[in-house]
Amino acid sequence: MTALLLLAAAAIGGSALAAPPNPAAPSPAASPAASPAVSNAWLRLPVVAGRPAAVYATITGGAAADRLIAVEGPKPARFALHATKAENGVMRMTPLAGLPVNAGQKVEMKPGGTHVMAFGLPDTKPDSRVALTFVFEKAGRVAVSAHAMSATAPEMKAGEHAHH
């Protein structure tokens, strides 16, 4: 079991693997929207077919504090919130019951940190789009289109974009 967790952490935590382009930063003077916003959603496909994919995104809190409680997507996939933490020199993933998002706060879901595991994702090709729904406790559902990226794609630099 520990070996599987280490393999999964290595697969989602490597800095040499693909990362999404950085979107333009919002103006700091802008007031938060009423509901949380989800941007820059992407998923890293597994190295080995049949293993889970990892989903990442940027969540910007709305006018009031809220909590991400689920992510939904194509059936029959199952999605689970996780955090990656180093314990005694070993990376471990732990399930999360929810992810708090304060008013106006920017929460980065990224490799080696908070993310969503996608188990049983239907056949998905690199450079395709996957429809996901982020479900918040108070604000409800926010639909996004996540960019699927190969586990072995080179890391993209700020300002670059993926061609699809």
Side-chain angles (χ1 to χ4, degrees):
M1 180 70 170
T2 300
L4 287 176
L5 286 175
L6 290 174
L7 179 61
I12 64 173
S15 64
L17 300 178
N22 288 338
S27 166
S31 61
S35 297
V38 180
S39 61
N40 208 25
W42 63 287
L43 64 93
R44 180 174 292 144
L45 296 171
V47 175
V48 178
R51 301 297 301 156
V55 177
Y56 309 101
T58 301
I59 301 170
T60 304
D66 208 334
R67 191 167 75 103
L68 177 67
I69 56 173
V71 174
E72 300 169 345
K75 300 294 181 203
R78 179 178 60 84
F79 297 84
L81 290 164
H82 281 91
T84 304
K85 297 179 184 176
E87 292 178 2
N88 300 320
V90 177
M91 295 300 284
R92 298 188 190 278
M93 286 191 298
T94 56
L96 298 174
L99 180 62
V101 181
N102 292 325
Q105 177 188 21
K106 183 186 250 184
V107 177
E108 299 279 342
M109 299 175 84
K110 58 187 177 182
T114 305
H115 59 280
V116 177
M117 296 300 296
F119 301 91
L121 193 65
D123 188 31
T124 304
K125 303 288 184 225
D127 231 17
S128 64
R129 306 296 293 189
V130 177
L132 299 175
T133 302
F134 284 64
V135 183
F136 292 89
E137 189 171 60
K138 296 175 186 168
R141 306 162 72 78
V142 176
V144 299
S145 177
H147 180 189
M149 301 179 76
S150 165
T152 58
E155 182 174 349
M156 291 192 290
K157 306 291 185 243
E160 289 182 341
H161 66 277
H163 298 279
H164 18 234

